[in-house]
Amino acid sequence: MFRTALAVAAGLGLTVVAGCGAADTGKSTSAGGNDTITLTKPSWVGAEANVAVAKYVLENELDYKVTTKQMGEVIAWDALGKGTIDAIMEDWGHPEQEKQYVEEKKSVVAAGDLGVTGHIGWFVPKYWADKNPDVTDYKNLDKYADQLKTSESGGKGQLLEGSPDYVTFDDAIIKNLDLNLKTVYAGSEAAQITQIQQNAKAKKPFLTYWWTPQWLNNVVDMVEVKLPAYKEGCDADPKKVACAYPNTPLQKYLNADFAKDGGKGAEFLKNFKWTAEQQNEVAKMIAQDKMSPDAAAKKWVDANPDVVKAWLP
């Protein structure tokens, strides 16, 4: 997510389905035309939903074995370039890695849109914004800093963050807009969600780094704070960012050898495309309904045969 992991859900462990040679070498065997495919599983639940459904279809419709590896986004790009993994299903934009691996080394190829547009921003709960409409303009946030203070924020208003692994510009934005705020990391998407839900239940004010799509948005009504408008290049220097985050059409990438020799598996992953609403359905099953990723994927696939059929080679 503009993140090395808008990147989040989290506390999700490594899931491995053993495949021919993959467990021994750490490398996928699919690029050689065999039947094992290795996918990276980011730490936020929306991205896990992509992987869960892709894994289920690859295993049950196309007879592949699938290994999933949880890792940060930059590490995943390095692994993709080396062929340790075959695909990234949800990338929020990593220009340096794209230049290195797609343009220069040509060891990674673009695999098309995921079909979901991501957006990161600062959000406050609607119940608080309804009582204080001006809080949705960043220029007024200092006025409410006392209401946002926590034991971790050192006397300043707290801006709640998720995982330290996410790429954010929030410290720079706070500094460059001269705001009386401090970023405080929950540690993971799951921990951040818990804090948001606890605050919402108590009707407490809060300000959080957050994003769409995300299943929690259907549970806790939040309103985005207006930051200075995003303009092309305003985030070019991470230390000088003083603007909002852009809308980001989320992308898929494949290891170049796998894209060439991965057969129906590679073709399927290129075809995989769905909506934010569909992703949220599966994410909610995993995160809120506490279904296993495989069970959530099966339920969704069984209910959407025509969508799945369109993805198949």
Side-chain angles (χ1 to χ4, degrees):
M1 306 179 159
F2 238 113
R3 30 188 196 185
T4 66
L6 211 116
V8 169
L12 297 170
L14 182 67
T15 301
V16 176
V17 178
C20 304
D24 296 331
T25 65
K27 289 186 178 284
S28 166
T29 58
S30 55
N34 294 316
D35 63 352
T36 297
I37 292 176
T38 303
L39 304 176
T40 180
K41 182 173 67 175
S43 64
W44 61 98
V45 72
E48 192 189 11
N50 307 324
V51 173
V53 171
K55 174 178 178 289
Y56 184 84
V57 175
L58 284 165
E59 292 184 334
N60 292 277
E61 297 289 341
L62 298 174
D63 296 323
Y64 284 88
K65 297 175 183 178
V66 178
T67 298
T68 66
K69 295 184 177 182
Q70 187 164 4
M71 56 184 70
E73 288 177 273
V74 172
I75 294 172
W77 267 92
D78 295 338
L80 189 66
K82 295 174 182 176
T84 306
I85 61 172
D86 292 310
I88 292 173
M89 297 292 293
E90 180 174 312
D91 183 78
W92 285 66
H94 291 83
E96 290 183 12
Q97 284 70 34
E98 290 171 41
K99 181 179 180 182
Q100 180 181 359
Y101 291 112
V102 178
E103 298 176 19
E104 296 175 357
K105 294 187 176 181
K106 302 188 185 303
S107 59
V108 173
V109 297
D113 278 354
L114 175 63
V116 176
T117 296
H119 176 68
I120 296 168
W122 294 2
F123 288 80
V124 295
K126 186 175 184 297
Y127 57 77
W128 190 40
D130 285 344
K131 293 181 180 179
N132 305 280
D134 62 339
V135 77
T136 59
D137 188 323
Y138 82 93
K139 295 176 183 177
N140 301 314
L141 286 175
D142 281 0
K143 173 181 171 184
Y144 296 96
D146 282 347
Q147 295 185 47
L148 295 170
K149 284 193 301 187
T150 68
S151 58
E152 293 85 18
S153 64
K156 298 183 177 183
Q158 174 177 282
L159 173 58
L160 179 63
E161 304 278 342
S163 168
D165 192 38
Y166 300 161
V167 174
T168 83
F169 300 137
D170 291 347
D171 286 324
I173 293 171
I174 289 170
K175 179 180 179 181
N176 295 325
L177 295 181
D178 194 25
L179 297 173
N180 188 28
L181 300 173
K182 181 180 179 181
T183 56
V184 176
Y185 286 83
S188 68
E189 181 191 48
Q192 185 180 13
I193 287 172
T194 296
Q195 288 196 33
I196 289 172
Q197 290 177 318
Q198 289 174 345
N199 286 334
K201 184 176 181 180
K203 297 294 183 183
K204 290 176 60 177
F206 66 87
L207 172 67
T208 187
Y209 164 99
W210 198 239
W211 56 93
T212 61
Q214 223 288 341
W215 65 269
L216 186 67
N217 297 331
N218 295 327
V219 179
V220 178
D221 200 356
M222 291 185 274
V223 181
E224 187 170 5
V225 173
K226 184 178 179 182
L227 293 170
Y230 176 84
K231 295 180 181 179
E232 191 69 32
C234 72
D235 54 359
D237 184 340
K239 295 181 180 179
K240 296 181 179 179
V241 179
C243 60
Y245 292 86
N247 292 323
T248 305
L250 307 183
Q251 303 296 309
K252 299 170 296 174
Y253 290 91
L254 304 181
N255 172 268
D257 289 337
F258 172 67
K260 179 182 176 183
D261 301 322
K264 290 184 178 181
E267 190 175 347
F268 162 75
L269 292 173
K270 292 175 186 176
N271 292 342
F272 187 104
K273 187 174 184 177
W274 61 351
T275 66
E277 291 74 21
Q278 290 166 333
Q279 185 190 79
N280 279 339
E281 285 181 48
V282 180
K284 178 181 175 293
M285 291 183 215
I286 296 170
Q288 187 176 38
D289 301 340
K290 305 304 180 185
M291 295 176 67
S292 71
D294 281 347
K298 181 181 188 306
K299 182 175 180 179
W300 189 88
V301 167
D302 288 347
N304 295 274
D306 292 341
V307 177
V308 175
K309 184 178 179 181
W311 296 340
L312 297 175

